[in-house]
Amino acid sequence: MAFTAAARCAALPRLAALRRPAIAPALSTLRRRTMATSSIRMASQAAPFYEGEPEAPVMKTEIPGPVSKKEIADLDKVFDTRALSLLTDYTKSIGNYISDRDGNVMLDVFAQIASIAVGYNNPALIKAAQSPEVISALVNRPALGPFPSHNWGEILRTGILKVAPKGLDQVFTGMAGSDANETAYKAAFMWRAAHDRGGHHVEFSEEELASVMSNQSPGSSNLSILSFKTSFHGRLFGTLSTTRSKAIHKLDIPAFDWPQATFPLLKYPLEDHVEENRAAEQASLDEVEHLIRNYHNSPAAVIVEPIQSEGGDNHASPDFFRRLRAVTRKHNVLLIVDEVQTGVGATGKFWAHEHWGLDDPPDMVTFSKKAQAAGYYFKDPELRPNKPYRQFNTWMGDPARAVLFRAIIDEITRLDLVANTARVGDYLFAKLEALAAKYPGQFDNLRGKGQGTFIAFDNPHRDEFLKRVRAEGVNIGGSGTSAVRLRPMLVFRERHADILVDALDKVARSWK
Amino acid sequence: MAFTAAARCAALPRLAALRRPAIAPALSTLRRRTMATSSIRMASQAAPFYEGEPEAPVMKTEIPGPVSKKEIADLDKVFDTRALSLLTDYTKSIGNYISDRDGNVMLDVFAQIASIAVGYNNPALIKAAQSPEVISALVNRPALGPFPSHNWGEILRTGILKVAPKGLDQVFTGMAGSDANETAYKAAFMWRAAHDRGGHHVEFSEEELASVMSNQSPGSSNLSILSFKTSFHGRLFGTLSTTRSKAIHKLDIPAFDWPQATFPLLKYPLEDHVEENRAAEQASLDEVEHLIRNYHNSPAAVIVEPIQSEGGDNHASPDFFRRLRAVTRKHNVLLIVDEVQTGVGATGKFWAHEHWGLDDPPDMVTFSKKAQAAGYYFKDPELRPNKPYRQFNTWMGDPARAVLFRAIIDEITRLDLVANTARVGDYLFAKLEALAAKYPGQFDNLRGKGQGTFIAFDNPHRDEFLKRVRAEGVNIGGSGTSAVRLRPMLVFRERHADILVDALDKVARSWK
């Protein structure tokens, strides 16, 4: 695979052009062709979902190239660019490919930190963004609590709630992942306090009403949220108190004295470490139960990621999660599943926790990123607080993004993208297993088998490894201290997997 | 003024129609006419900025009417409607008027909790929402830290930063007001910890790196944010710890042990209570200084609203704020001015703190609501943390809303809306003074003179009073326990003030 091959950049539709009325027939044709393609299953597996996508990355300069360097220096005067990876030209990015201003076009398996579901400049999303509902939601942004639009229920039902996890049928919407988790925590605290008080109908005491104004108990709660070591749940004050992935996220910020349990860090390959891993999971569950029983600030809820993502792509078995559900149920502690990164198809199921086969669903499931919208799903009517305005804020979500999520859901359904991701994930995993065998020590602890494209491995020189893969035209990210994490979009196909594997092979082969 | 007068509802442009290319010439004409109007100052004061706006409210049914009742019951199955005030038909809302599905059209002086700046279905905003920049920002939402778009600097410079408060030239963007304040708090904590550690260059100790992972000091900070009683700064865990307006916001939620100072609750009319008010302000400043010196969790920053909004529209004098700046400067404590509700023109200045005449600007100014975008302005380069990824999250703001804020700024400039608001505010305040004289006990503590349309008064039967004003066709809100707060948009004119005053007069006159 020659990455310097002439790609079809000139053919990339530009966003500005896409919006001209004249382009409408072209978009329709594109859509018809894609639909026709996807109906021919065998052929479709090789074909991209996007016409106009380049056939391969095009690397014209180092990253950043001369144009980008100049523009980054200028941007830095008003925006901190120390975390900048690629000054991106989104008008020239399409499908699985991300572009910059120096003419570089990269296959993107990082996808805005796992937040792009159906490809850059997806025509169906452009159409949704131009819809009257989105435009109205942007220019007349409602305070959803007091002034919801007359079609808000319909938007929820045909979008966010259409993909509600099994057993949950309500949603509270927010702005982003941190916000989704924090409002879920608030719901958990209010629910648990009502329970401890004797029920939703019991009024607050004078002492509670007075003490809460100076942030003291009993009005302010001494309950806690239990999270796992190496977890990531966000970076606002409540969520950061449950985030345990990296010190740099937490240093110098006040935190609540809340408990953490060890996450069962599994050994790979799983089949060679069955007993050890089972013991690690048992020890973790024992610790959870011990903390629920004994921690001085008693947990109202446990929050867990189906796969710890920022913390290094740490997996546990379905059995672990089923038993975690049982332990929380036993102690009347809520279970919040944080699907901010794992949700919306990337693991080969719409929600990653579907892999667990739970009989008793989680109490809340939080989402954001690929959904573009954010919030928490729940079922128990008592998770609506006993009085209005307790779970309330000005905007309470973003209807424009709720409509976009609906368009994403429709696109996932139309192109059968969850099944695509499951299949391509298996294809990619097998190729990575071959690479791991070929280059010992470079693809350690390969994990995510059967989890769609939500795949990772460890590399002892991770940061340098990522840099070299990027130089080969693949935009790729890390997680934790040594993991290379793959987070392609749901429109990632076998042909893209081949390009990724070729780049990894080339870097591994030439490693010095 | 007869509210039953035939209004021009039939003439309301519908959003769907506005989007058709055929409407473009009509929009241009509208814009030309409005510009021509605004250039003729005397005539412009009577004319609305919107063609198509009704001449008066139209109340056809009680609120909610039969159609709304049915739709609200349906919505309640998936969305908590206990805080619902008006199930809104935004396609039929225009300028200062908000509509429902029963044909009711109300003058809106609440404006989505003070969040609509330039009118419903403002044509300039619709145009911005349809722009390639907004569509790209919606469908290709960037992780701004690593993958900003190549034009992000330009979007900031021509929008958010163009209206940066005097003395501040940097911005960190977020999603909403709570988020803006929480990230400002984080910046304050990191800044102060670096200072206490001996400078930005001093590395973290092993003890800090270890302790922070279990939420303990010294890695987790024991510093605090000092806020004022009756303040409102948001409802996430950090901001809720600084919010002191109502118990219902805070009950059952864990809170940080942070200090609060009494806000100087002024007596009205101000000219009759000069000495008492001066003493109240002095006592408040003394308490701030005492808490800075003695509170066991030492404040890294003080946060204050220019006018306490949710807490009941509480004002203080410019002198109070100048001295608060001096006290915080003296003790090396940062001053954060929360302009989430006061910002963007409503007080007759673009930022309310411009009324103070500060020589030494605040360290940070936070914004959201009318800006649609959110974040905090700052200047000191040391408020950028000493390492990347410390102030970081996936989206770090919303470029779509940044472009919309730019369009709002352009519209404010084009129509000179800050000056309009200052002038109409004076006009309205004089009329309210007359009402207060005419109906003793119904318009108590009238306040906000010289503060644009950011006006409030107390009424002993506030909730019932609001209900009756709504029945007269004016959508109006309260704050605190007894305040009627006026939060019209910036396109509110003398003719709208007349309608509001007539409604208030009618309700007061018939009060039993």
Side-chain angles (χ1 to χ4, degrees), chain B residues 110 113 246 309-313 341 457 462-463 466 470 476-487:
Chain B
F110 199 18
I113 318 181
K246 289 184 181 169
S309 306
E310 295 303 312
D313 276 57
Q341 188 155 164
F457 55 86
R462 192 266 315 270
D463 290 350
L466 292 177
R470 286 187 199 121
I476 190 167
S479 64
T481 51
S482 59
V484 175
R485 65 168 150 175
L486 306 182
R487 293 293 181 275

Side-chain angles (χ1 to χ4, degrees), chain B residues 242-428:
Chain B
T242 54
T243 285
R244 315 279 186 167
S245 47
K246 289 184 181 169
I248 197 72
H249 298 156
K250 293 168 69 78
L251 281 156
D252 297 338
I253 311 300
F256 290 109
D257 182 4
W258 292 352
Q260 58 177 337
T262 306
F263 194 76
L265 295 176
L266 303 187
K267 293 191 177 172
Y268 296 85
L270 295 175
E271 53 273 26
D272 297 345
H273 300 87
V274 173
E275 281 311 311
E276 276 168 279
N277 289 340
R278 190 175 294 159
E281 293 192 338
Q282 184 60 52
S284 173
L285 290 164
D286 289 347
E287 194 180 351
V288 168
E289 191 156 17
H290 177 80
L291 289 166
I292 289 174
R293 284 189 161 134
N294 299 295
Y295 202 74
H296 49 279
N297 294 327
S298 187
V302 171
I303 185 163
V304 69
E305 298 157 271
I307 302 165
Q308 290 191 332
S309 306
E310 295 303 312
D313 276 57
N314 309 315
H315 296 247
S317 72
D319 182 61
F320 170 80
F321 290 105
R322 285 193 296 265
R323 291 163 69 205
L324 181 64
R325 167 72 284 190
V327 167
T328 50
R329 176 67 66 201
K330 175 180 165 192
H331 293 284
N332 202 28
V333 165
L334 299 178
L335 179 64
I336 305 171
V337 176
D338 177 344
E339 291 251 24
V340 168
Q341 188 155 164
T342 53
V344 191
T347 68
K349 303 270 189 192
F350 200 93
W351 301 109
H353 76 270
E354 293 171 36
H355 288 284
W356 307 343
L358 288 180
D359 294 325
D360 179 12
D363 298 291
M364 289 182 266
V365 172
T366 63
F367 63 96
S368 181
K369 288 196 182 270
K370 283 193 187 66
Q372 301 294 302
Y376 63 87
Y377 292 104
F378 64 104
K379 181 179 184 183
D380 188 343
E382 297 208 336
L383 282 170
R384 282 191 190 181
N386 63 344
K387 289 176 191 290
Y389 298 106
R390 298 191 71 191
Q391 185 74 292
F392 184 87
N393 57 67
T394 298
W395 286 326
M396 301 215 307
D398 184 347
R401 263 61 187 235
V403 175
L404 279 175
F405 188 20
R406 182 172 67 184
I408 290 166
I409 293 164
D410 290 348
E411 190 72 344
I412 289 172
T413 307
R414 184 176 74 82
L415 298 172
D416 204 10
L417 293 179
V418 179
N420 173 72
T421 301
R423 192 190 66 245
V424 176
D426 289 345
Y427 175 87
L428 174 60

Side-chain angles (χ1 to χ4, degrees), chain A residues 59-103:
Chain A
M59 297 305 286
K60 292 194 172 170
T61 70
E62 291 194 335
I63 304 281
V67 177
S68 298
K69 268 186 190 151
K70 188 170 161 294
E71 295 185 347
I72 292 167
D74 193 48
L75 177 61
D76 191 70
K77 291 174 195 155
V78 293
F79 182 79
D80 186 349
T81 61
R82 287 173 298 175
L84 193 146
S85 178
L86 188 80
L87 189 69
T88 307
D89 188 342
Y90 290 99
T91 68
K92 292 185 177 151
S93 301
I94 184 163
N96 293 278
Y97 286 84
I98 188 169
S99 302
D100 72 3
R101 298 261 283 173
D102 290 281

Side-chain angles (χ1 to χ4, degrees), chain A residues 15 19 71 74-80 82-90 101 110 112 115 120-121 125-126 130 132 135-136 138-150 152-153 157 161 170 175-176 179 182 185-186 189 193 197 204 208-209 212-216 219-221 223 235-238 241 244 247-248 250-257 260 368-369 372 384-390 392 394-395 398 401 404 475, chain B residues 15 19 71 74-80 82-90 101 110 112 115 120-121 125-126 130 132 135-136 138-150 152-153 157 161 170 175-176 179 182 185-186 189 193 197 204 208-209 212-216 219-221 223 235-238 241 244 247-248 250-257 260 368-369 372 384-390 392 394-395 398 401 404 475:
Chain A
L15 186 54
R19 292 189 60 255
E71 295 185 347
D74 193 48
L75 177 61
D76 191 70
K77 291 174 195 155
V78 293
F79 182 79
D80 186 349
R82 287 173 298 175
L84 193 146
S85 178
L86 188 80
L87 189 69
T88 307
D89 188 342
Y90 290 99
R101 298 261 283 173
F110 198 19
Q112 308 300 320
S115 293
Y120 293 117
N121 286 310
L125 258 61
I126 291 175
Q130 292 172 316
I135 291 168
S136 180
L138 289 173
V139 306
N140 309 312
R141 187 168 190 177
L144 269 179
F147 304 104
S149 64
H150 68 278
W152 179 233
R157 283 193 175 94
L161 287 174
Q170 303 275 306
M175 239 65 88
D179 187 38
E182 295 228 343
Y185 297 176
K186 288 180 70 172
F189 286 121
R197 203 176 270 121
F204 304 111
E208 286 171 330
L209 290 165
V212 77
M213 298 311 291
S214 44
N215 295 3
Q216 304 296 320
S220 295
S221 175
L223 296 173
R235 304 185 58 155
L236 299 170
F237 286 80
S241 293
R244 314 280 185 166
I248 197 74
K250 293 168 70 74
L251 281 156
D252 297 338
I253 311 299
F256 291 108
D257 181 4
Q260 58 176 337
S368 181
K369 287 194 183 272
Q372 301 293 301
R384 283 192 190 181
N386 63 343
K387 290 177 190 290
Y389 298 106
R390 298 192 71 191
F392 184 87
T394 297
W395 286 326
D398 184 347
R401 264 58 188 234
L404 280 174
N475 185 44
Chain B
L15 186 55
R19 293 189 57 252
E71 294 185 348
D74 194 47
L75 176 61
D76 192 70
K77 292 173 194 156
V78 294
F79 182 78
D80 186 348
R82 287 174 298 175
L84 193 145
S85 178
L86 188 80
L87 189 69
T88 307
D89 188 341
Y90 289 100
R101 299 261 283 173
F110 199 18
Q112 308 300 320
S115 294
Y120 293 117
N121 287 309
L125 260 61
I126 291 175
Q130 292 172 315
I135 291 168
S136 180
L138 288 173
V139 306
N140 309 312
R141 187 170 188 173
L144 269 180
F147 304 104
S149 64
H150 67 277
W152 180 232
R157 283 192 175 95
L161 287 174
Q170 303 275 306
M175 240 63 90
D179 187 37
E182 294 228 343
Y185 297 176
K186 289 180 68 173
F189 286 121
R197 202 177 270 119
F204 305 111
E208 286 172 329
L209 290 165
V212 77
M213 298 311 289
S214 43
N215 295 2
Q216 304 296 320
S220 295
S221 174
L223 297 174
R235 304 185 57 156
L236 299 170
F237 285 80
S241 294
R244 315 279 186 167
I248 197 72
K250 293 168 69 78
L251 281 156
D252 297 338
I253 311 300
F256 290 109
D257 182 4
Q260 58 177 337
S368 181
K369 288 196 182 270
Q372 301 294 302
R384 282 191 190 181
N386 63 344
K387 289 176 191 290
Y389 298 106
R390 298 191 71 191
F392 184 87
T394 298
W395 286 326
D398 184 347
R401 263 61 187 235
L404 279 175
N475 185 44

Side-chain angles (χ1 to χ4, degrees), chain B residues 75 128 132 141 168 203 224 233-234 243 281 315-316 461 474 494:
Chain B
L75 176 61
R141 187 170 188 173
L168 311 183
E203 290 296 325
S224 63
H233 301 293
T243 285
E281 293 192 338
H315 296 247
H461 311 282
V474 177
E494 285 82 351

Side-chain angles (χ1 to χ4, degrees), chain A residues 182-226:
Chain A
E182 295 228 343
T183 47
Y185 297 176
K186 288 180 70 172
F189 286 121
M190 291 188 276
W191 175 88
R192 180 59 186 249
H195 176 272
D196 292 351
R197 203 176 270 121
H200 260 47
H201 61 285
V202 181
E203 291 296 323
F204 304 111
S205 69
E206 286 304 312
E207 194 188 356
E208 286 171 330
L209 290 165
S211 59
V212 77
M213 298 311 291
S214 44
N215 295 3
Q216 304 296 320
S217 65
S220 295
S221 175
N222 286 329
L223 296 173
S224 63
I225 304 290
L226 187 156

